[in-house]
Amino acid sequence: MSAGRVWVPALFAALAVYPFLPIAEANRGEQFTILFVYAILALGLNVVLGYTGLLHLGIAAFFGIGAYTVGVLTVPFFPFQQSFLVAAAVATTVSAAVGIATTAPILRLRGDYFALVTLGFGLITLYAIRNLDAITEGTKGLNPIEAGPLPGVPENVDLSGLRVNGEWGTRWYKYPYLYFLVLGTLGAVMLLLRNVERSRLGRAWVALREDELAASCMGLNPARLKLAAVALGAGLAGLAGAFYALALRTTGNPQAYDFTLSMIMVCCVILGGLGNRSGVLIGVLLLMGFDRIATNLLDNFIQERFDFGGKAYLKVSGWKLIIFGVVLIVMMRFRPEGLLPEARHQRELHPEADEGEDRVPEPGDTGQKAGS
Amino acid sequence: MDRRKFLGVAGLTAAGAGVFLAGGCGGNSNTLKIVSSLPRTGSAQGQTDTIVNGIRLAMDEYNNELFGHKLVHQDMDDATAAQGQWDAGKEADNAREAISDKNVMVFIGPYNSGAAKQSMPILSEAGLLQISPAATWPGLTKVVPGDEKSGEPGIYRKSDKLTFCRVCPTDNVQGPKTAEFVARVLNAKTVFVLDDKELYGSGIAKLFMEACRTKEIGIKILGHEQLVKQNNYKATLQKIAQLKPDAIYFGGTSQSGGPQIAIDMKGENLTCPLIVPDGCYEKAFIEGAGADLFKDVTCYATIGGKDPSLLTTGAGAEFVKKYKEKFNKDPEAYAVYGYEAAKVFLEAAKAVGRKDREAIRDAVIKTKDFDKGALGKWSFDADGDTTLQELTISKIENGKFKPVKSL
Amino acid sequence: MLELFAQSDGAGGFGQYLLLGLVLGSLYALIALGYTMVYGIIELINFAHGDLFMLGAFLALQLADLWFKQVTGDTTGVLPVAALLVLMFVLTPLFCAGLNMGADRAFYKPLRNSPKLTVIVTAIGVSFIFMNLGLFWRGATPVKFPDLIPDTNLIPGSGLRVTWKDVMVVGVTVPVMLALTVFVKFTALGKAMRATAQNPTAAKLMGINADRVIAATFAIGGALAGVASVVYGLYIKSVDYQMGFQNGLYAFTAAVLGGIGNIPGAVLGGLVIGVVGELGKAYLGAKWSEALIFAILIVILLFRPTGLLGARTREKV
């Protein structure tokens, strides 16, 4: 956990400076904005999956609920016309409430049964978004979402003088408003989670994850703790959804909130380091950055030099899934604790390094801790 | 362990720096770029291949050079592996990537009307020309009656200049004319309507149903069901079989279940004709269902404009010939639109004669009586739609679309 | 919706949908069996199972293409078609069994002592790779699977439509399920499997070679996916590279619904999903049928938290 202390602030500083550098492009910046949004989503999932160890396979549903709440509250199609701040607050609250309402009845389900029910919940939410045309406009998406500025934060400050190389060009005008807004929110979420981790609540979650029986014997209330985690996680996912809709200016295609996203988010969290905020951040930047930015750049780079006639196996994007798959498999084989492991998980996964523990690995002992 | 950690962080930094730098390097200023943004991974890849072929063919005719500038085609993908189809964020990315590259003069795409909703406002704001070869939702360019509340098309137009145009006829031509064909030629009195719940499919099904309900046409709609892609449609078709409709209309594409419906119609012994729109007007639809199947299932497919097999004279015939030579297969309907989109841009750019986004855009939008492409003479109207509002209806026979009627 | 109900529920309406549901359900059950067996033994939700099923279908398709192009041009004769069917039903399960065993040996075996999530993420990775291979193999658009079994109605005039295809699905799945049950109950390897599933350590102490038992389980699970893929191709008549995802999800749901790790449970779960899905399509509208499946799943799990036939085991502490 200590490694993150140095480079996470460094990373944030670099990202904050980035728009002022001569290499900065409005386009790349907006792509980063979407990555920050996914990072918030993954951090939300990390609260549920990493801190309390509940395998939730429907996090994308909260993302969708957040996005559509903002959509309903802001688009001209509906009579509400709220500002973004109000809409985002409502989106977070609604997602958290839905999280509590859907998790409370299923808390007694164990491990994989819990996973499947959350998966089912995610799919039902997706189908509801797609089918309830009166509210969600079906597959058309709610648009346009024109966000009002945050109160007290002017949208038209001219920062272009600070930029090393003159103008930003189209869409960033005088300064990249949304970029800083989402980056700032991501930073705030990181700080919030740091404090939560160190609080009574955070320590209780870890205790619960490690040994539920022992934790409840010590007087902790597992149900209440799990619900708190789901509420926080779902709320963050809803907030991410709100920013997603704001950044795209539409809720987009309902398909953007399906099971695949939940699955990729689980991969991001585990790849980065389950339970470690900084690791989760890296996981998202790598996996989603590869999917959304790197493959495009590589393909453009290749295309400018060779003409392969668009064959799937001659393009990086054609190999995307294989690359994803290989990365996941290799990581799980050689570094299952993720790129930046949380200390406690690290010890679980490398028992040989722990002299004090007399844990004898057995075939078929699949480790109840992470899953159930 | 610390060394590994260090290596990991160092690797990440390097990767990050790579991404930053790659973003920074620009292209050669002596090039002229045509960008296309189409779903290049996932299920729509078949058709988008033919669109790209069409664009490449048009560029070849100019030897990939225009007033001393090298012509470059950049084939962008608006689909992600995660979704297997077009992705709203990715389409917006592509649009922004295009506007930030000074060499890009035109954005050809997207394929899906839903994706167009993403890229249109961005490109409009930047004033970059956009020509879509396949997005047919009418609301992108004009007010759809009964749908005024959505604010279309004003919400896509961020500047006073028109930037979006399309070479394919819109669904509000296809829907009503198909209804006319079903009533007059097929003599159908009743119809059952299916759609795939996508923007395109349900939009065209709705327009078809509205036309059916008018007095002049007067087809009774026995029911309307929205199908989401499923393993099979036997239960739905059983239900339809009991209503005994004279025809079944499916608003959707070959990826969203078109071939499977034809397959299950044979399986469930439904003998009424199936009518499908241009989303199914492609070889993939026939191959997906099997050419032999259409001996037992009568199927009509409609497409705005002309089927390539009707292009027997002049530039059209020339296009078909050249396409066959270069790609070794018959052009499909969408190949023509890819070609036409590239061609109308290239001709206008040639006339302008300099690398100037605004001038080329205005020249393209103002195109009147264009006849250098494969489709004959047409113009863009005030909304940016093609005046070529013809509809070809083809019957599927011997593994081919055989045109039976033009309206 | 209501008027459709009245109109469509004529003679044989309900019975017909029930039949369609049972047929489709037994197909799901076949895929779910592979899931449940692997789960039962190493508690792995094998996300790659659906994509293995997809690759099996592609192999069967490839066999058909080769057969009709290289061996015989006769696509309607009884003998060549029967020979092809035998070929498909032998080679495809072998292929899938080999692939599944290979995946286990290469990817899952080194992770036997790792936590569940590690293995699940590996399975997701394998699933991505299989899917991409399928994309390279047959492209992105749906491909027609040869129509080898006639659609003639076997009991015309009864108001029900039962075709040779329906008979084929049930005729393949029921014996396979029975054989599997007998195998697990009465053979030595089957008993070893159950022992390993219940308590790997104790089984090992009793001299059971856990590695071999697990490999055998993967082989059998893969073979079931192979059989299912051929049945699917023959019944649905069209395959595409994304079919593994959707059907894998159904199969996973069926396995959990029945009580994951429980063989009769997987069959029951598959049938429930098939019937609910088809009745949903018929009476509620096709766009709500999937939502209905998952809604029913959740309701059932609320009342029976370990699935329909799952044993209420005490949580290991």
Side-chain angles (χ1 to χ4, degrees):
Chain A
M1 234 185 283
S2 56
R5 211 173 288 160
V6 187
W7 67 264
V8 168
L11 178 70
F12 272 89
L15 286 171
V17 173
Y18 168 73
F20 301 102
L21 300 177
I23 54 161
E25 264 180 69
N27 175 44
R28 199 73 60 234
E30 300 226 8
Q31 285 175 329
F32 287 156
T33 311
I34 298 285
L35 291 191
F36 303 155
V37 169
Y38 282 121
I40 299 177
L41 175 63
L43 286 171
L45 177 63
N46 185 42
V47 173
V48 182
L49 180 64
Y51 295 170
T52 37
L54 288 171
L55 181 52
H56 201 295
L57 291 179
I59 199 76
F62 301 116
F63 190 56
I65 290 171
Y68 273 88
T69 309
V70 166
V72 169
L73 289 178
T74 55
V75 292
F77 189 81
F78 289 105
F80 305 110
Q81 311 295 336
Q82 298 296 320
S83 76
F84 176 71
L85 199 61
V86 176
V90 175
T92 312
T93 321
V94 168
S95 296
V98 172
I100 293 176
T102 53
T103 315
I106 59 168
L107 272 182
R108 66 190 186 117
L109 297 183
R110 294 289 158 201
D112 299 316
Y113 294 96
F114 180 86
L116 181 78
V117 169
T118 54
L119 186 160
F121 155 72
L123 289 171
I124 291 176
T125 310
L126 174 70
Y127 301 140
I129 288 176
R130 197 179 57 194
N131 292 344
L132 295 173
D133 297 64
I135 302 168
T136 62
E137 285 278 276
T139 43
K140 285 190 212 167
L142 289 170
N143 55 351
I145 294 166
E146 304 283 2
L150 294 184
V153 184
E155 202 171 357
N156 53 0
V157 201
D158 192 349
L159 292 182
S160 52
L162 290 173
R163 186 174 150 85
V164 179
N165 207 2
E167 291 278 305
W168 274 297
T170 345
R171 274 176 77 84
W172 269 10
Y173 306 111
K174 292 170 179 161
Y175 88 116
Y177 175 64
L178 196 60
Y179 178 90
F180 284 128
L181 181 62
V182 183
L183 182 64
T185 312
L186 177 60
V189 169
M190 291 284 281
L191 282 179
L192 169 80
L193 290 182
R194 191 188 72 153
N195 291 338
V196 170
E197 262 174 38
R198 292 171 181 184
S199 71
R200 243 180 104 91
L201 185 63
R203 280 175 286 138
W205 279 337
V206 174
L208 191 68
R209 181 189 72 201
E210 296 300 309
D211 195 332
E212 187 169 334
L213 187 66
S216 56
C217 289
M218 302 303 284
L220 295 173
N221 181 342
R224 199 180 291 166
L225 284 170
K226 285 180 184 169
L227 282 183
V230 171
L232 180 59
L236 286 176
L239 182 67
F243 279 115
Y244 182 74
L246 178 69
L248 288 185
R249 300 181 178 190
T250 165
T251 55
N253 189 336
Q255 214 62 39
Y257 313 101
D258 75 351
F259 173 57
T260 324
L261 179 66
S262 302
M263 207 157 80
I264 297 232
M265 279 300 137
V266 170
C267 292
C268 286
V269 168
I270 293 171
L271 185 82
L274 191 63
N276 181 328
R277 329 177 282 290
S278 328
V280 169
L281 200 63
I282 286 301
V284 173
L285 294 185
L286 282 185
L287 272 192
M288 298 309 271
F290 171 72
D291 186 27
R292 304 191 146 257
I293 305 178
T295 41
N296 257 17
L297 286 175
L298 289 171
D299 269 340
N300 291 346
F301 181 81
I302 293 170
Q303 255 187 48
E304 274 172 23
R305 279 151 192 85
F306 316 99
D307 182 14
F308 288 140
K311 292 261 186 336
Y313 47 86
L314 293 176
K315 286 190 303 184
V316 181
S317 57
W319 290 82
K320 235 187 244 180
L321 286 174
I322 287 190
I323 297 171
F324 253 61
V326 168
V327 166
L328 292 179
I329 291 171
V330 169
M331 276 296 292
M332 290 304 105
R333 174 76 182 82
F334 297 105
R335 205 175 160 82
E337 66 274 28
L339 290 167
L340 291 177
E342 192 217 22
R344 218 177 290 267
H345 272 149
Q346 169 111 9
R347 234 177 301 139
E348 265 171 45
L349 287 156
H350 293 274
E352 72 278 6
D354 251 339
E355 288 152 341
E357 220 169 5
D358 55 349
R359 186 174 183 277
V360 183
E362 288 290 344
D365 172 8
T366 46
Q368 289 288 312
K369 281 158 191 146
S372 52
Chain B
M1 195 50 66
D2 265 343
R3 197 168 52 94
R4 265 162 89 188
K5 208 174 270 174
F6 171 72
L7 284 179
V9 173
L12 289 176
T13 320
V19 171
F20 274 67
L21 289 177
C25 65
N28 192 335
S29 67
N30 203 27
T31 54
L32 212 77
K33 253 191 198 169
I34 297 178
V35 159
S36 67
S37 170
L38 305 161
R40 307 290 288 136
T41 35
S43 52
Q45 200 193 334
Q47 293 95 306
T48 57
D49 277 346
T50 74
I51 297 178
V52 168
N53 285 348
I55 297 173
R56 296 261 162 95
L57 189 63
M59 288 168 59
D60 276 356
E61 290 179 6
Y62 298 78
N63 294 320
N64 293 311
E65 202 189 312
L66 212 58
F67 43 84
H69 288 68
K70 190 166 172 259
L71 267 182
V72 177
H73 173 231
Q74 190 173 344
D75 182 8
M76 287 183 176
D77 186 356
D78 70 2
T80 58
Q83 290 198 30
Q85 59 166 349
W86 72 273
D87 174 288
K90 198 73 188 297
E91 173 72 12
D93 278 353
N94 289 351
R96 286 190 298 258
E97 188 93 43
I99 57 177
S100 58
D101 185 342
K102 294 279 176 287
N103 293 323
V104 173
M105 292 294 125
V106 64
F107 184 93
I108 297 181
Y111 177 77
N112 306 78
S113 301
K117 292 173 161 225
Q118 291 301 307
S119 45
M120 280 173 73
I122 297 171
L123 296 170
S124 170
E125 204 165 344
L128 180 62
L129 172 68
Q130 179 178 21
I131 311 174
S132 174
T136 51
W137 172 243
L140 299 177
T141 50
K142 48 188 150 246
V143 177
V144 180
D147 207 17
E148 289 85 357
K149 225 177 138 194
S150 65
E152 289 180 323
I155 49 173
Y156 309 125
R157 293 182 179 154
K158 298 282 162 194
S159 63
D160 48 352
K161 286 270 195 301
L162 209 60
T163 53
F164 178 83
C165 56
R166 48 184 158 187
V167 291
C168 49
T170 49
D171 296 340
N172 55 351
V173 176
Q174 205 176 149
K177 285 196 173 171
T178 309
E180 206 180 308
F181 170 80
V182 173
R184 304 278 141 74
V185 182
L186 298 182
N187 283 318
K189 301 276 179 292
T190 56
V191 65
F192 197 98
V193 181
L194 300 169
D195 77 56
D196 64 357
K197 194 90 192 52
E198 294 293 323
L199 177 63
Y200 161 77
S202 59
I204 197 163
K206 198 172 148 210
L207 290 163
F208 173 78
M209 285 193 289
E210 270 164 20
C212 286
R213 288 196 191 100
T214 56
K215 269 209 187 87
E216 303 86 68
I217 293 177
I219 302 176
K220 190 171 177 231
I221 295 161
L222 296 177
H224 170 218
E225 176 108 45
Q226 297 191 301
L227 305 170
V228 181
K229 195 170 187 276
Q230 268 145 2
N231 279 330
N232 68 41
Y233 303 99
K234 287 173 190 260
T236 309
L237 289 168
Q238 284 282 352
K239 188 161 81 179
I240 296 172
Q242 292 177 8
L243 300 173
K244 298 197 174 51
D246 294 336
I248 295 177
Y249 185 83
F250 170 63
T253 65
S254 3
Q255 295 86 48
S256 60
Q260 192 66 46
I261 289 175
I263 289 174
D264 289 336
M265 276 179 73
K266 187 189 171 208
E268 300 309 303
N269 214 4
L270 258 79
T271 47
C272 63
L274 171 71
I275 297 114
V276 292
D278 60 343
C280 294
Y281 204 102
E282 50 164 344
K283 262 209 133 52
F285 176 74
I286 303 181
E287 280 164 4
D292 289 345
L293 182 97
F294 294 103
K295 287 177 190 154
D296 301 306
V297 177
T298 320
C299 181
Y300 295 93
T302 64
I303 185 149
K306 283 196 174 77
D307 181 89
S309 72
L310 293 175
L311 303 172
T312 49
T313 54
E318 187 73 2
F319 162 77
V320 175
K321 197 177 130 247
K322 273 190 281 190
Y323 190 97
K324 262 189 196 162
E325 271 168 21
K326 188 166 158 75
F327 303 108
N328 222 354
K329 54 189 163 198
D330 284 324
E332 293 199 39
Y334 279 117
V336 188
Y337 289 128
Y339 175 80
E340 203 75 7
K343 195 83 191 192
V344 70
F345 159 75
L346 288 165
E347 278 300 313
K350 201 169 138 196
V352 169
R354 60 178 196 281
K355 200 169 154 184
D356 181 344
R357 262 189 199 175
E358 279 71 36
I360 296 176
R361 179 195 68 215
D362 293 340
V364 170
I365 298 282
K366 283 197 196 94
T367 300
K368 291 280 172 294
D369 298 329
F370 180 75
D371 57 1
K372 300 268 172 38
L375 285 172
K377 203 182 240 184
W378 55 270
S379 311
F380 281 126
D381 67 10
D383 299 317
D385 278 327
T386 170
T387 52
L388 206 67
Q389 302 292 27
E390 195 184 4
L391 187 75
T392 305
I393 295 162
S394 298
K395 191 175 176 197
I396 300 176
E397 263 174 21
N398 300 324
K400 286 206 168 75
F401 291 101
K402 197 174 150 234
V404 289
K405 182 114 184 132
S406 284
L407 289 168
Chain C
M1 254 184 268
L2 280 174
E3 71 260 23
L4 269 180
F5 186 97
Q7 277 169 347
S8 61
D9 199 17
F14 180 79
Q16 187 67 52
Y17 306 137
L18 195 64
L19 181 81
L20 285 173
L22 288 172
V23 171
L24 205 57
S26 39
L27 186 55
Y28 294 151
L30 210 48
I31 317 173
L33 281 175
Y35 251 107
T36 228
M37 287 195 63
V38 168
Y39 185 91
I41 209 142
I42 59 167
E43 294 197 10
L44 160 69
I45 305 174
N46 188 359
F47 275 108
H49 195 75
D51 299 286
L52 181 76
F53 158 81
M54 178 269 297
L55 288 180
F58 279 15
L59 180 86
L61 185 62
Q62 197 74 47
L63 286 175
D65 283 356
L66 286 176
W67 183 259
F68 289 132
K69 276 199 193 105
Q70 309 288 331
V71 184
T72 168
D74 186 3
T75 54
T76 46
V78 177
L79 212 62
V81 167
L84 172 63
L85 287 179
V86 170
L87 205 64
M88 280 181 180
F89 275 115
V90 172
L91 289 185
T92 312
L94 281 179
F95 168 75
C96 289
L99 208 56
N100 213 19
M101 239 164 78
D104 172 52
R105 181 69 197 80
F107 306 129
Y108 308 131
K109 192 164 177 246
L111 303 177
R112 287 283 190 264
N113 301 323
S114 308
K116 241 185 220 175
L117 268 180
T118 311
V119 197
I120 288 180
V121 171
T122 305
I124 294 177
V126 175
S127 144
F128 282 156
I129 293 178
F130 281 177
M131 207 155 150
N132 213 151
L133 291 177
L135 176 68
F136 286 163
W137 194 349
R138 295 306 297 224
T141 38
V143 195
K144 156 98 182 156
F145 199 92
D147 193 359
L148 299 175
I149 294 173
D151 282 310
T152 39
N153 192 353
L154 295 176
I155 38 172
S158 67
L160 265 188
R161 192 176 157 75
V162 182
T163 68
W164 281 112
K165 285 200 174 72
D166 301 319
V167 174
M168 180 271 302
V169 176
V170 179
V172 172
T173 51
V174 170
V176 166
M177 289 171 204
L178 289 179
L180 190 69
T181 315
V182 171
F183 169 81
V184 171
K185 272 227 155 81
F186 300 111
T187 64
L189 185 57
K191 281 177 187 163
M193 276 177 188
R194 279 187 293 149
T196 313
Q198 267 174 15
N199 191 335
T201 319
K204 218 174 169 191
L205 290 173
M206 301 310 284
I208 292 172
N209 183 343
D211 282 338
R212 261 190 52 204
V213 170
I214 293 173
T217 312
F218 269 93
I220 292 171
L224 287 168
V227 174
S229 70
V230 178
V231 173
Y232 180 94
L234 292 171
Y235 182 66
I236 305 285
K237 289 176 282 183
S238 158
V239 291
D240 69 282
Y241 85 103
Q242 285 170 321
M243 71 188 229
F245 183 77
Q246 187 69 10
N247 289 295
L249 215 55
Y250 284 142
F252 173 42
T253 310
V256 177
L257 186 58
I260 192 156
N262 182 314
I263 288 174
V267 176
L268 183 64
L271 292 179
V272 168
I273 286 180
V275 169
V276 166
E278 293 305 290
L279 292 181
K281 278 186 210 168
Y283 295 121
L284 203 60
K287 64 175 173 177
W288 287 109
S289 86
E290 285 161 306
L292 184 71
I293 288 177
F294 289 102
I296 290 207
L297 166 87
I298 292 176
V299 171
I300 289 180
L301 284 186
L302 283 181
F303 290 102
R304 288 197 64 92
T306 48
L308 288 170
L309 300 182
R312 284 165 189 267
T313 48
R314 201 171 60 87
E315 188 76 1
K316 285 180 212 162
V317 181

